[in-house]
């Protein structure tokens, strides 16, 4: 008999959804599941293992394993290989690959190509060309001996910030369509140097 086909399997599926359990990520693919009676079990999602008796002795896909899978699908806990981090711009919780260093930016705060944003240093509008996946302390400024992070105007910003390439300068009130590309220079700035304009800017 396969456990998946047995009636008690349906019971596990329902209990996985309905019973109060608290799931927290421990890193890699390991999770801690705390149940209402006060039991705490460690689950390895990728390996399909749980420390509870139901899994250990019966070898079934227990309600804890199922619950962890449900919480990952719902976006309540990071998937295996991911970690939770606060967005450096808005503070919202987001999930990023475990190897990605801080600071991280959520999807909403990742600047998109063509977006008009404000350079905090000069108070001027710039147009985003690309949000790169490289850090300000890794990217060298073309023709110079220093990195984006080392440039004197960028020293107030996190050297581990991602680099955003922008076109510059744009006067206030000038829309990107009004400016010919020949007038614009491409610069690399740390993400923290750029902010979205407030209404009326
Ligand atoms: Zn279990
Ligand atoms: Zn954000």
């Amino acid at each position: 008999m396969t456990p998946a086909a047995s009636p008690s399997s349906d019971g596990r599926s329902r209990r996985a959804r309905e019973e109060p359990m608290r799931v927290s990520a421990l890193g890699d693919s390991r999770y801690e599941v705390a149940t209402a009676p006060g039991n705490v079990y460690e689950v390895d999602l990728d390996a399909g293992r749980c420390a509870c008796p139901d899994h250990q002795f019966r070898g079934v896909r227990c309600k804890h394993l199922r619950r962890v899978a449900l919480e990952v699908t719902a976006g309540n806990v990071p998937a295996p290989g991911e970690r939770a981090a606060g967005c450096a711009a808005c503070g919202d919780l987001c999930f990023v690959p475990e190897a990605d260093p801080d600071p991280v930016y959520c999807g909403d705060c990742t600047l998109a190509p063509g977006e008009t944003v404000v350079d905090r240093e000069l108070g001027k509008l710039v147009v985003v060309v690309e949000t790169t996946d490289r850090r300000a302390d890794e990217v060298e400024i073309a023709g110079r001996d220093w990195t984006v992070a080392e440039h004197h105007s960028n020293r107030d910003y996190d050297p581990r910030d991602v680099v955003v390439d922008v076109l510059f300068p744009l006067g206030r009130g000038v829309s990107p369509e009004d400016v010919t590309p020949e007038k614009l220079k491409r610069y690399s700035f740390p993400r923290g140097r750029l902010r979205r304009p407030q209404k009326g800017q």
Side-chain angles (χ1 to χ4, degrees), residues 23 32-33 39 42 48 58 69 76 86 100 108 116 120 127 146 160-161 163 173-174 189-191:
V23 176
E32 190 178 84
V33 180
N39 295 318
E42 195 176 307
R58 295 191 195 90
N76 296 332
D100 277 15
D108 285 348
T116 305
R120 292 180 196 271
V127 176
W146 53 72
R160 300 163 307 168
D161 236 334
V163 167
V174 178
F189 288 158
R191 168 64 181 83

Side-chain angles (χ1 to χ4, degrees), residues 11-23 33-37 63-64 67 71:
R12 284 188 187 92
S13 177
R14 182 180 49 75
R15 291 198 299 275
R17 283 194 310 272
E18 294 174 2
E19 284 184 13
M21 292 183 232
R22 203 177 57 243
V23 176
V33 180
T35 63
K63 60 185 179 184
H64 314 108
R67 179 60 167 263
E71 298 275 337

Side-chain angles (χ1 to χ4, degrees), residues 85-109:
C87 170
C90 72
D92 276 4
L93 195 69
C94 51
F95 302 141
V96 295
E98 261 171 350
D100 277 15
D102 283 328
V104 302
Y105 293 90
C106 73
D108 285 348
C109 295

Side-chain angles (χ1 to χ4, degrees), residues 11-137:
R12 284 188 187 92
S13 177
R14 182 180 49 75
R15 291 198 299 275
R17 283 194 310 272
E18 294 174 2
E19 284 184 13
M21 292 183 232
R22 203 177 57 243
V23 176
S24 25
L26 301 174
D28 297 323
S29 77
R30 294 175 309 114
Y31 300 81
E32 190 178 84
V33 180
T35 63
N39 295 318
V40 176
Y41 300 111
E42 195 176 307
V43 162
D44 186 328
L45 194 59
D46 281 347
R49 274 200 303 267
C50 178
C52 77
D54 202 24
H55 178 77
Q56 294 293 312
F57 299 119
R58 295 191 195 90
V60 295
R61 195 169 147 76
C62 62
K63 60 185 179 184
H64 314 108
L65 265 165
R66 292 161 192 254
R67 179 60 167 263
V68 170
L70 289 170
E71 298 275 337
V72 167
T73 304
N76 296 332
V77 292
E82 290 183 342
R83 67 182 178 92
C87 170
C90 72
D92 276 4
L93 195 69
C94 51
F95 302 141
V96 295
E98 261 171 350
D100 277 15
D102 283 328
V104 302
Y105 293 90
C106 73
D108 285 348
C109 295
T110 299
L111 301 176
E115 211 180 322
T116 305
V117 294
V118 179
D119 168 20
R120 292 180 196 271
E121 286 302 302
L122 301 175
K124 295 218 165 121
L125 292 173
V126 301
V127 176
V128 175
V129 176
E130 182 188 13
T131 292
T132 74
D133 55 8
R134 304 190 64 206
R135 293 158 33 154
D137 59 4

